């Protein structure tokens, strides 16, 4: 598919915000997220003919954004293995009502604390509403692995959210946060 | 939201336990549709047999939806769209015929060698950050931009310049001050904040950037406007003691000559 100027601008305006938010969750820095977002769209502009199906443009952008991030993160440990169980802690429950009341930047900060291996599928799940099969295709990992990471990432996020939502006076006494063992789901 | 229904129609030998169902349901797409596969269908059926699981699932879906909504409120930097669009225009290269690639490569090498010889013999390299900014802004202004302040009253523009950019009275060139304004805005470029003021000159839109000299130490501009064509736009650049000025317009060069070159 050839991406014309008009189509390109339409795609940019339709998707740049979500791509930026995804990039921000990866880089944790606004300036780097802006660069990563621009780079993703630049690659679309220069290699857009490779995207065969217009309906898949957004997936292509997220995948490209992630690949460009990985390309720049040469020091990254690809498969960290975390040997701890989910810690059950007494924290305020993270509910939809509480999330509605919280600031968006607090949510973003909380998401940034989720381990990267889980954060990426979780962000794709929430930003794009992708099903696990699409996420598996985007990240080029087995479906079972994505399901495992998604479930555990969401659980990690839930506990971190509860921690973020608790009153500041309790913050000192709170545990360091959830730690999760990754296991493949078959 | 789901609600309890009749027992499952799906044939399964053994029901999955609620922990396994929770694990699967965690991955259920936000967009409600058919179950992704047989196991997801089974997990959904399990919610109809297990009220506790159903309550958990409904709560989880509500939380998922809230998180999805809240993420849409994460602030996106202003001007990012313009940067993406300008970046594409500035950097995109035409597709080349693959059969001609070796020839093109050879020609490029010859060209680069010639260029290197040429550049080494010159004291000032032709490319500066100011020139890069000019190229991007000329592309950015192909369409009329959104304004932070829409007004035809120059006192309001001056006040805005003073408030937003600490630019003093007299920052606007007298050659343009006689014309009605359209408005102004801040454009961010590589961390620099550029003040953009738009005028209507003889029925044509003329954009003026007023930029403190310190923002582009590499800009070597004289006090006499230099006219240049950048893409489809005509431009003029000059400086005074405090500021750099960059004018962009789709009007003909004659308009710039008429008013800017006649400046005192």
């Amino acid at each position: 598919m050839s991406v014309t100027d008009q189509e390109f601008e339409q795609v940019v305006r339709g998707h740049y915000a979500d791509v930026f938010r995804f990039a921000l969750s990866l880089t944790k820095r606004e300036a780097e997220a802006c660069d990563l977002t621009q780079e993703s769209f630049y690659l679309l502009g220069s290699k857009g003919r490779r995207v065969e199906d217009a309906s898949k443009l957004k997936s292509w952008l997220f995948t490209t954004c992630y690949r460009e991030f990985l390309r720049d993160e040469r020091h990254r440990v690809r498969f960290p293995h975390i040997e701890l169980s989910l810690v059950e802690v007494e924290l305020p429950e993270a509910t939809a009502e509480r999330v509605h009341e919280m600031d968006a930047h607090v949510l973003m900060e909380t998401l940034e604390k989720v381990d990267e291996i889980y954060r990426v599928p979780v962000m794709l799940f929430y930003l794009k509403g992708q099903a696990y099969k699409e996420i598996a295709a985007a990240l080029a990992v087995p479906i079972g692995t994505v399901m495992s990471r998604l479930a555990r990432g969401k659980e990690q996020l839930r506990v971190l959210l509860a921690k973020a939502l608790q009153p500041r006076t309790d913050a000192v006494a709170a545990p360091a946060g959830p730690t999760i063992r990754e296991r493949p789901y078959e | 939201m789901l609600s309890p229904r009749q027992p499952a129609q799906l044939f399964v030998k053994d029901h999955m336990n609620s922990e396994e169902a929770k694990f699967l349901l965690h991955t259920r797409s936000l967009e409600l549709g058919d179950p992704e596969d047989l196991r997801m269908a089974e997990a959904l059926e399990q919610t109809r047999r297990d009220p506790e699981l159903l309550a958990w699932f409904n709560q989880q879906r509500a939380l998922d939806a809230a998180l999805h909504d809240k993420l849409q409120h994460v602030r996106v930097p202003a001007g990012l769209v313009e940067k993406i669009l300008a970046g594409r225009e500035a950097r995109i290269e035409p597709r080349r015929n693959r059969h001609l690639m070796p020839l093109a490569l050879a020609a490029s090498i010859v060209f680069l060698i010639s260029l290197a010889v040429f550049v080494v013999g010159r004291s000032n390299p032709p490319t500066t950050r100011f020139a890069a900014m000019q190229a991007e802004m000329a592309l950015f202004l192909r369409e009329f931009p959104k304004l932070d302040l829409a007004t035809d009253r120059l006192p309001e523009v001056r006040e805005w310049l003073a408030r937003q950019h600490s630019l003093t009275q007299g920052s606007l060139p007298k050659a343009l001050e006689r014309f009605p304004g359209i408005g102004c805005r801040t454009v961010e470029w590589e961390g620099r904040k550029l003040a953009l003021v738009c005028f209507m000159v003889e029925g044509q839109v003329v954009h003026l950037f007023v930029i403190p000299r310190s923002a582009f130490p590499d800009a070597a501009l004289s006090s006499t406007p230099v006219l240049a064509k950048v893409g489809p736009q005509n431009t003029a650049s000059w400086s005074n003691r405090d500021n750099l000025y960059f004018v962009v317009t789709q009007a003909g060069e004659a308009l710039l000559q008429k008013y800017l070159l006649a400046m005192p």
Side-chain angles (χ1 to χ4, degrees):
Chain A
M1 191 200 85
S2 173
V3 180
T4 65
D5 283 356
Q6 196 178 2
E7 287 169 338
F8 181 75
E9 184 163 348
Q10 201 175 351
V11 171
V12 171
R13 293 194 185 281
H15 303 311
Y16 83 101
D18 278 347
V19 175
F20 168 79
R21 290 171 186 130
F22 180 53
L24 186 60
S25 78
L26 297 173
T27 65
K28 304 181 184 179
R29 291 190 179 89
E30 186 176 295
E32 288 176 24
C34 281
D35 289 347
L36 196 52
T37 306
Q38 288 179 73
E39 191 62 26
S40 303
F41 280 101
Y42 168 68
L43 288 171
L44 174 67
S46 57
K47 300 178 184 175
R49 288 172 177 82
R50 292 181 185 173
V51 183
E52 298 297 330
D53 182 352
S55 66
K56 291 180 181 169
L57 271 176
K58 191 168 182 182
S59 293
W60 188 92
L61 283 164
F62 278 100
T63 305
T64 302
C65 181
Y66 184 53
R67 285 183 185 154
E68 288 302 300
F69 169 72
L70 292 183
R71 200 168 59 81
D72 294 340
E73 291 283 306
R74 297 179 197 284
H75 62 278
R76 205 179 74 93
V77 179
R78 289 186 65 83
F79 300 105
H81 190 71
I82 304 162
E83 291 289 348
L84 291 165
S85 300
L86 183 67
V87 179
E88 289 296 335
V89 289
E90 287 189 18
L91 291 168
E93 197 176 3
T95 61
E97 291 73 24
R98 284 170 176 265
V99 168
H100 280 306
E101 289 166 7
M102 77 189 301
D103 287 338
H105 81 271
V106 174
L107 170 59
M108 203 67 206
E109 284 173 3
T110 308
L111 275 161
E112 287 168 2
K113 290 176 187 162
V114 174
D115 292 341
E116 187 188 310
I117 199 167
Y118 305 122
R119 192 189 332 133
V120 173
V122 165
M123 286 300 291
L124 291 173
F125 179 87
Y126 284 121
L127 275 177
K128 192 177 174 297
Q130 280 186 323
Y132 59 80
K133 286 180 182 173
E134 290 176 282
I135 297 172
L139 303 182
V141 293
I143 286 176
T145 305
V146 162
M147 292 175 78
S148 173
R149 291 179 186 177
L150 192 51
R152 286 162 214 293
K154 287 176 71 178
E155 199 58 29
Q156 196 178 65
L157 175 62
R158 184 187 65 80
V159 181
L160 284 166
L161 273 175
K163 196 178 164 193
L165 289 165
Q166 73 177 332
R168 291 184 68 85
T169 47
D170 297 337
V172 176
T179 45
I180 293 167
R181 175 195 298 125
E182 185 185 8
R183 66 174 169 82
Y185 178 78
E186 300 299 336
Chain B
M1 296 276 182
L2 291 171
S3 56
R5 275 194 340 193
Q6 293 299 312
Q9 301 296 311
L10 193 70
F11 175 77
V12 284
K13 285 181 181 173
D14 299 304
H15 297 325
M16 62 175 63
N17 64 38
S18 70
E19 284 308 306
E20 192 179 2
K22 277 185 181 180
F23 184 85
L24 281 160
L25 293 169
H26 257 312
T27 68
R28 175 84 166 119
S29 169
L30 287 167
E31 293 170 7
L32 284 175
D34 292 336
E36 288 86 340
D37 55 30
L38 198 63
R39 293 178 68 79
M40 184 64 79
E42 190 183 340
L44 289 168
E45 283 300 325
Q46 183 78 356
T47 65
R48 290 168 185 128
R49 288 188 289 267
D50 182 346
E52 217 171 277
L53 180 65
L54 176 67
W56 173 88
F57 183 51
N58 283 338
Q59 192 180 25
Q60 193 65 36
R61 297 296 285 179
L63 179 60
D64 284 346
L67 288 167
H68 171 75
D69 290 345
K70 187 59 71 174
L71 273 177
Q72 303 306 310
H73 291 95
V74 173
R75 192 186 68 83
V76 178
L80 183 56
V81 169
E82 289 80 4
K83 282 183 185 173
I84 294 168
L85 295 175
R88 188 215 182 190
E89 293 294 334
R91 292 167 63 190
I92 195 166
E93 295 174 4
R95 278 170 71 83
R96 296 181 177 87
N97 187 325
R98 286 169 190 253
H99 301 295
L100 297 177
M101 283 303 282
L103 278 175
L105 187 63
S108 299
I109 291 168
V110 171
F111 172 75
L112 285 172
I113 291 169
S114 308
L115 185 66
V117 170
F118 177 72
V119 167
V120 166
R122 290 168 62 91
S123 56
N124 294 323
T127 303
T128 63
R129 298 320 296 153
F130 186 73
M133 181 278 293
Q134 287 178 303
E136 281 199 32
M137 289 306 113
L139 287 166
F140 169 55
L141 292 171
R142 283 184 314 168
E143 291 182 17
F144 193 84
K146 284 184 183 171
L147 298 173
D148 295 339
L149 172 67
T151 178
D152 59 357
R153 298 188 65 247
L154 282 183
E156 288 183 11
V157 172
R158 288 195 196 96
E159 189 188 331
W160 180 88
L161 286 170
R163 195 173 61 248
Q164 299 292 330
H165 293 270
S166 305
L167 290 167
T168 55
Q169 295 283 330
S171 297
L172 292 175
K174 291 199 183 311
L176 291 173
E177 274 190 322
R178 70 181 85 165
F179 297 105
I182 304 171
C184 43
R185 68 168 284 177
T186 299
V187 181
E188 289 195 25
W189 189 82
E190 291 192 350
R192 301 164 174 91
K193 290 192 171 180
L194 318 177
L196 172 65
V197 185
C198 308
F199 294 90
M200 188 62 78
V201 180
E202 294 186 0
Q204 304 270 13
V205 176
V206 172
H207 303 286
L208 168 74
F209 287 97
V210 187
I211 308 158
R213 288 189 75 106
S214 56
F216 290 96
D218 64 351
L221 298 178
S222 72
S223 58
T224 306
V226 175
L227 307 188
K229 187 99 174 166
V230 179
Q233 310 264 36
N234 281 301
T235 72
S237 314
W238 73 97
S239 67
N240 64 16
R241 194 188 60 180
D242 301 319
N243 300 316
L244 305 170
Y245 295 94
F246 176 49
V247 163
V248 181
T249 181
Q250 291 181 4
E253 190 182 282
L255 191 80
L256 300 181
Q257 285 175 340
K258 181 177 175 183
Y259 292 106
L260 297 182
L261 294 186
M263 277 197 302

